[in-house]
Amino acid sequence: MSKKTFYITTPIYYPSGKLHIGHSYTTVAADAMARYKRLQGYDVMFLTGTDEHGQKIQRVAAENNITPKQYVDNIVEGIKKLWDLMKITNDKFIRTTDDYHVAAVQKIFKALYDKGDIYKSEYEGWYCTPCESFWTETQLVDGNCPDCGRKVEKTREESYFFRLSKYQDRLIRHLEENPDFIQPASRRNEMINNFLKPGLEDLCVSRTSFNWGVPVSFDEKHVVYVWIDALSNYITALGYGSDNDENFNKFWPADVHLVGKEIVRFHTIIWPAMLMALELPLPKQVFGHGWLVLEGGKMSKSKGNVVDPVILVDKYGVDAIRYFLLREVPFGADGVFSNEALISRINSDLANDLGNLVSRTVAMINKYFNGSLPKERQSGDFDEDLKSVLGNLKSRTEELMDKLQFSTALAEIWKAVSRTNKYIDETMPWALAKDESNRARLAEVLYNLAESIRIVSVLIQPFMPETPLKIWEQLAISEEERTWESAGTWGVYSNKSPVKAGEVLFPRIDIAKELESLANMIPSGDSKQQEKAKESKAEEKVEGVQLIGIEDFGKVELRVVKVLSCEKVEKSDKLLKLIVKCGEEQRQVVSGIAQYYKPEELVGKKLILVANLKPAKLRGIESQGMILAAEESERLVLVTVDGDIADGAKVR
Ligand code: MSP
């Protein structure tokens, strides 16, 4: 029986300069999805590439005294290297300058012309060169390009037009009848209400004012203007319009086109209309994800505030960067990139939660059993809960991955990591090891830890190409114990060969030092002045006391937290930075208690956290909540709990 197929695409990127972390975001997401489907046994086609034509490229090349092809060749080489660095597993890389693409676009253009869906007329309107977009008078915003806000130029020339208006009703019907066609749903409503219902105008699809493009085969003074050329890549890459359309027959229609939110319109209106005109099936889904922005606004080369993924991968490794991109922001929403957020995630999720879990488990199996667990094992308290969380993890992860919810899928996996860490606290293997009569129980506890790690290591494969291998080596997890299917079954780990300690998976990073070194290399989007203003605001004191009602008090969420680690904030004699555990979650809190407590005194203490305070930055370090303390002239003592209660418990 032939395998089920899965076809996923990224947009094809403009090679007008080096790609930044925002571009990597789309490609990493597509790669995670492609890896996931391959692991599930699908025959996957994952396409990415470059969109190389247009006036802008022609201009830049001329400025550099080289041909447009020389110019793009050079940049495309860099893009391919970046994808290698990010461990992108695309099955095909299309360049719109590839001969087969050019020939197929010419055929498509001609077929649409022959059908009457492309006709010649005259274009008069406004053109935005950086965006390569034509706009009508009414579409302009304050006389400027509605997409980028830059100046537009008036143009008038003979052009070919695509009869987009003819497809308006069919498009509305398609969107209404296929609620999943555009994801997330908010983008679907935007398309229907803002573009389709007000009425579609025919689209200008050729240009005579520049010649860096696919020539119209039957009227050579025209070149095909951007969208027919660019969008066709999704089918020409499969051989559509060539002698060999085997891949087209196998993979089309695409399962999902991943695109940034600003090009959803082209992919859900122009592209389906083109396909309708060609009498081809429509893609099953277009997913419009949000932008990764810096605190100062969208990354753009012209603003000079782009974040270079190469620097980040060199410093922290590809797995940490891929993890951060997919974990930090719910896929679909906009998200802020900051160096602090990146390092906090690496420290808390990767170094503390996963890295420590693996190294502690391997170390304990070595210490107590010389690397090999005995067959005699004895189950006990807490085992069932651990097994049920880990046992269901595969199906919960799959459910979320199928909806491209990368961030929640990772959150779900990390909940299981936290559950496993909690199991260590609950079962206290070091205490069991003190008494020979507990050997069987100790063996079971360590087996359960290794088995939980095995399941996690299999499920993180779509996101992290390197870490699973390192874990498998350390725990001696064999090939059969690594299959995707095996993550759905508890008890697969065989420990046939002894475990062996290896390198630390994610070394902890000294935030303060690292931020300083990064600030010299990567703009954080935040000027020093803004930073200062925020700090002083965070430290602002409210004067006077006011009576409040119980409902006001109810707005404050107080929780018991346990201090996991604590360190002094560099260059501050007042601040300590604490990592605290609050149930399943970990928080980083900066507190002005350094004159009263030494960091090592606090580790293990249970304190009270104001858990729903807006995050604030102190000395550039994000504080996710506030620790309560009582103050008396020169003295300060931390508020703590009277009795044994789990962290995460609510304080009322
Ligand atoms: N060439 C067109 C796409 C044609 S597809 C038939 C194009 N290229 S682009 O290089 O400008 O952008 C490619 C993709 O990168 C878009 O989906 C865009 O949304 C995405 N991103 C560019 N900057 C981004 C961020 N800062 N954050 C997230 N995605 C970003 O558009």
Side-chain angles (χ1 to χ4, degrees):
M1 209 178 75
S2 62
K3 281 198 205 170
K4 278 199 286 183
T5 61
F6 185 78
Y7 180 28
I8 183 164
T9 67
T10 73
I12 44 173
Y13 297 93
Y14 287 129
S16 51
K18 254 170 81 172
L19 298 191
H20 56 66
I21 196 85
H23 301 112
S24 306
Y25 180 56
T26 320
T27 316
V28 164
D31 185 61
M33 204 57 199
R35 285 173 181 265
Y36 162 65
K37 287 288 175 183
R38 284 189 205 111
L39 285 162
Q40 282 192 321
Y42 283 76
D43 192 348
V44 171
M45 171 60 75
F46 166 21
L47 174 71
T48 188
T50 40
D51 185 1
E52 304 184 8
H53 293 125
Q55 190 169 12
K56 194 175 162 191
I57 302 270
Q58 188 168 342
R59 273 192 196 164
V60 183
E63 281 161 22
N64 285 287
N65 287 325
I66 48 175
T67 65
K69 185 68 168 59
Q70 284 167 330
Y71 178 77
V72 290
D73 278 353
N74 181 30
I75 295 180
V76 169
E77 202 180 306
I79 293 177
K80 287 185 170 170
K81 277 200 190 128
L82 174 63
W83 297 154
D84 283 346
L85 184 75
M86 301 296 282
K87 297 265 160 43
I88 302 300
T89 56
N90 53 299
D91 298 286
K92 186 156 174 78
F93 190 104
I94 186 169
R95 298 182 58 175
T96 52
T97 49
D98 288 337
D99 290 348
Y100 70 87
H101 173 78
V102 170
V105 167
Q106 288 180 321
K107 275 197 195 162
I108 291 170
F109 201 93
K110 176 81 168 42
L112 295 176
Y113 179 74
D114 290 345
K115 202 182 163 197
D117 274 343
I118 282 181
Y119 61 93
K120 199 186 223 175
S121 179
E122 193 166 69
Y123 175 80
E124 192 186 296
W126 299 91
Y127 185 65
C128 173
T129 309
C131 295
E132 300 195 53
S133 295
F134 288 108
W135 304 102
T136 57
E137 186 80 37
T138 51
Q139 286 173 318
L140 300 182
V141 176
D142 299 331
N144 294 321
C145 169
D147 265 358
C148 72
R150 281 179 274 210
K151 263 179 109 87
V152 285
E153 290 162 31
K154 186 141 202 169
T155 46
R156 186 192 174 96
E157 61 182 70
E158 177 191 284
S159 285
Y160 285 94
F161 282 79
F162 173 58
R163 267 185 225 287
L164 190 58
S165 56
K166 175 177 156 189
Y167 293 95
Q168 171 167 332
D169 294 342
R170 270 180 75 187
L171 285 167
I172 295 181
R173 226 177 311 130
H174 185 78
L175 262 57
E176 284 174 347
E177 284 167 7
N178 297 277
D180 292 336
F181 178 64
I182 305 181
Q183 285 294 319
S186 54
R187 306 213 193 280
R188 168 172 164 259
N189 302 338
E190 191 189 326
M191 290 305 125
I192 297 181
N193 298 330
N194 298 359
F195 296 106
L196 283 164
K197 290 217 162 132
L200 294 175
E201 287 174 26
D202 289 352
L203 183 77
C204 172
V205 288
S206 80
R207 309 289 291 150
T208 52
S209 52
F210 62 88
N211 60 15
W212 178 237
V214 176
V216 171
S217 57
F218 51 90
D219 192 349
E220 292 244 334
K221 70 175 189 292
H222 287 258
V223 289
V224 177
Y225 161 67
V226 64
W227 288 104
I228 288 209
D229 175 13
L231 290 161
S232 300
N233 94 86
Y234 299 129
I235 52 175
T236 63
L238 299 178
Y240 178 82
S242 79
D243 297 341
N244 180 358
D245 57 3
E246 199 184 307
N247 272 337
F248 178 74
N249 295 328
K250 180 167 165 190
F251 289 107
W252 191 257
D255 290 271
V256 56
H257 292 311
L258 281 194
V259 301
K261 62 181 184 179
E262 83 286 12
I263 54 173
V264 168
R265 181 160 69 97
F266 306 109
H267 284 79
T268 58
I269 297 177
I270 300 176
W271 180 224
M274 272 174 67
L275 290 164
M276 284 172 181
L278 292 168
E279 295 173 33
L280 293 175
L282 307 194
K284 292 179 206 155
Q285 188 171 87
V286 175
F287 195 108
H289 64 74
W291 285 338
L292 210 55
V293 298
L294 293 175
E295 280 170 351
K298 191 176 185 235
M299 263 172 247
S300 82
K301 255 198 319 150
S302 55
K303 284 201 216 159
N305 66 347
V306 293
V307 172
D308 185 348
V310 177
I311 296 180
L312 297 178
V313 171
D314 281 350
K315 267 179 154 308
Y316 308 117
V318 66
D319 281 16
I321 304 306
R322 289 176 59 121
Y323 174 81
F324 176 79
L325 288 175
L326 297 178
R327 172 67 186 91
E328 188 67 8
V329 188
F331 202 63
D334 285 345
V336 178
F337 176 92
S338 79
N339 299 330
E340 289 96 313
L342 169 67
I343 298 171
S344 301
R345 281 256 174 233
I346 295 178
N347 276 349
S348 69
D349 299 10
L350 302 180
N352 271 1
D353 292 354
L354 181 64
N356 274 349
L357 174 64
V358 174
S359 62
R360 285 172 86 188
T361 303
V362 171
M364 288 192 286
I365 299 178
N366 267 330
K367 182 169 172 196
Y368 302 131
F369 294 100
N370 252 334
S372 299
L373 296 168
K375 290 274 170 293
E376 307 75 56
R377 301 198 300 255
Q378 183 199 331
S379 49
D381 288 347
F382 313 109
D383 293 4
E384 282 319 306
D385 188 48
L386 181 75
K387 285 183 198 176
S388 84
V389 172
L390 271 297
N392 293 327
L393 188 58
K394 174 172 173 273
S395 60
R396 290 202 308 279
T397 307
E398 287 179 330
E399 224 172 86
L400 293 162
M401 287 298 280
D402 289 338
K403 292 191 229 149
L404 292 106
Q405 290 304 310
F406 305 105
S407 165
T408 18
L410 280 170
E412 202 62 30
I413 299 175
W414 254 255
K415 263 193 220 161
V417 171
S418 296
R419 178 66 195 89
T420 314
N421 275 317
K422 189 168 158 209
Y423 180 77
I424 304 186
D425 295 342
E426 291 164 339
T427 52
M428 296 192 288
W430 52 91
L432 293 172
K434 287 191 181 137
D435 188 339
E436 195 53 31
S437 66
N438 291 327
R439 293 288 288 166
R441 177 64 189 138
L442 179 60
E444 177 71 4
V445 165
L446 297 185
Y447 178 87
N448 288 343
L449 290 175
E451 177 60 352
S452 303
I453 295 172
R454 182 193 68 81
I455 292 176
V456 166
S457 72
V458 171
L459 296 178
I460 58 175
Q461 290 178 89
F463 310 95
M464 298 184 160
E466 293 181 341
T467 307
L469 275 161
K470 294 182 188 166
I471 297 179
W472 297 336
E473 264 180 26
Q474 296 198 21
L475 278 167
I477 290 171
S478 66
E479 286 203 3
E480 317 79 78
E481 296 163 22
R482 310 168 180 179
T483 64
W484 187 258
E485 270 324 294
S486 75
T489 313
W490 180 268
V492 170
Y493 181 54
S494 68
N495 188 212
K496 261 188 234 138
S497 323
V499 306
K500 50 176 186 297
E503 58 173 314
V504 172
L505 294 181
F506 298 98
R508 264 194 81 79
I509 300 166
D510 180 328
I511 284 212
K513 264 198 207 145
E514 201 64 17
L515 286 179
E516 213 178 290
S517 107
L518 275 174
N520 298 327
M521 301 166 109
I522 299 174
S524 78
D526 209 0
S527 77
K528 283 242 156 55
Q529 263 174 345
Q530 280 172 312
E531 192 90 315
K532 282 219 174 99
K534 274 198 228 159
E535 271 182 35
S536 62
K537 214 165 177 192
E539 286 171 342
E540 227 168 49
K541 297 241 164 62
V542 182
E543 301 283 343
V545 179
Q546 235 185 334
L547 288 183
I548 57 164
I550 188 80
E551 66 290 348
D552 287 321
F553 178 70
K555 287 183 197 154
V556 183
E557 194 195 334
L558 298 174
R559 299 261 181 192
V560 175
V561 292
K562 183 174 164 194
V563 181
L564 295 179
S565 65
C566 179
E567 61 191 58
K568 289 195 76 155
V569 170
E570 252 187 39
K571 295 193 198 129
S572 161
D573 47 12
K574 290 201 182 131
L575 299 179
L576 287 186
K577 192 194 80 187
L578 300 89
I579 303 289
V580 297
K581 185 165 165 291
C582 181
E584 303 281 79
E585 208 191 327
Q586 283 189 13
R587 299 272 187 106
Q588 167 177 296
V589 182
V590 181
S591 180
I593 53 175
Q595 284 155 320
Y596 309 97
Y597 289 90
K598 293 207 177 73
E600 60 274 21
E601 278 175 57
L602 295 179
V603 177
K605 264 201 192 320
K606 291 220 168 129
L607 305 174
I608 308 296
L609 176 80
V610 182
N612 62 341
L613 203 61
K614 276 195 197 139
K617 271 197 199 144
L618 299 167
R619 293 259 166 185
I621 304 179
E622 188 176 272
S623 183
Q624 301 154 337
M626 183 174 82
I627 294 292
L628 292 188
E631 213 174 354
E632 179 192 56
S633 58
E634 296 300 314
R635 247 161 60 82
L636 179 143
V637 291
L638 287 165
V639 177
T640 178
V641 282
D642 175 27
D644 196 13
I645 188 152
D647 55 74
K650 256 194 159 165
V651 178
R652 285 191 254 248

